[in-house]
Amino acid sequence: MGYVDGILKNIKYSLLNYIVVNGFKFLTRIVFIKTLSIEYLGITGLFSNIFVMLSLAELGVGPAMVYALYKPLAENDKETVNSIMLLFKKMYLLIGGIILILGLIIYPFLDVLIKEETEIKYLNYYYLIFLLNTVISYLWSYKRSLLIADQKQYIVNNYQSVVQIAVSVLQVIGLIFGFGYFSYIILVCA
């Protein structure tokens, strides 16, 4: 496949996946709001924001990795590609470890971040599930960069879209049948 063909294929699939996945997320959000209290939405937003901030620890490693892989992939230099992948695997494991440590440092201060008393039970456990989800994502995210550098991001996008649609459907089912917030966030971690 040519370079331009790869770009066009990536654009086409990215746009289609974006529309479909966000439609399912919108539906899930509507069911979420109708079945759980607004407090849960606030907690979800807070935890998401905390982990977005912690993910800044990546400091652009992903784009640097993709850039570093372009030339060896174009030249079919498998030894260099393997060396780069091993290096980035180690870096992502380190980043995941840093995020885990920072997340655990924040853990005792959750009551400071949540100013008002909440009726949400098991709040600390929910935070730990969000933390583990973030950390686990770094264990294999370096592999996506290889596909992206090889102009095959559409494979990543298609896989992620199928998983996100399935998760949305299961979340809606869980919320409608009263399995609650725990089932919702466990599925977020899928």
Side-chain angles (χ1 to χ4, degrees), residues 10-11 24-26 28 35 38 46 56 63 68 75 79 90 115 119-120 127 137 144 147 153 170 177:
N10 285 335
I11 290 170
F24 275 93
K25 284 183 178 181
F26 182 71
T28 305
T35 56
I38 198 75
L46 173 66
L56 290 175
E75 296 172 350
E79 185 177 323
K90 290 177 182 177
K115 294 182 181 183
E119 293 183 20
I120 298 176
Y127 175 85
S137 72
R144 288 178 340 151
L147 290 170
Q153 183 167 350
L170 291 172
F177 289 103

Side-chain angles (χ1 to χ4, degrees), residues 112-143:
V112 174
L113 296 172
I114 303 168
K115 294 182 181 183
E116 294 181 20
E117 193 66 32
T118 180
E119 293 183 20
I120 298 176
K121 294 180 182 179
Y122 313 114
L123 191 62
N124 292 344
Y125 296 119
Y126 297 149
Y127 175 85
L128 291 174
I129 291 169
F130 270 86
L131 175 60
L132 288 176
N133 175 43
T134 303
V135 171
I136 289 170
S137 72
Y138 281 97
L139 297 180
W140 56 77
S141 64
Y142 70 96
K143 293 180 180 183

Side-chain angles (χ1 to χ4, degrees), residues 58-115:
E58 184 185 13
L59 297 173
V61 170
M65 180 178 175
V66 171
Y67 178 78
L69 286 168
Y70 280 135
K71 184 177 180 185
L73 282 171
E75 296 172 350
N76 201 24
D77 183 355
K78 292 179 182 177
E79 185 177 323
T80 302
V81 169
N82 288 338
S83 297
I84 292 170
M85 291 300 291
L86 182 61
L87 171 67
F88 281 110
K89 178 181 180 181
K90 290 177 182 177
M91 290 180 74
Y92 271 105
L93 288 174
L94 176 65
I95 291 166
I98 290 169
I99 290 172
L100 177 64
I101 291 167
L102 292 174
L104 291 173
I105 289 171
I106 292 170
Y107 179 76
F109 302 102
L110 284 179
D111 58 336
V112 174
L113 296 172
I114 303 168
K115 294 182 181 183

Side-chain angles (χ1 to χ4, degrees), residues 7-18:
I7 291 172
L8 292 175
K9 195 170 192 177
N10 285 335
I11 290 170
K12 180 176 77 173
Y13 281 106
S14 292
L15 183 60
L16 180 64
N17 289 335
Y18 179 81

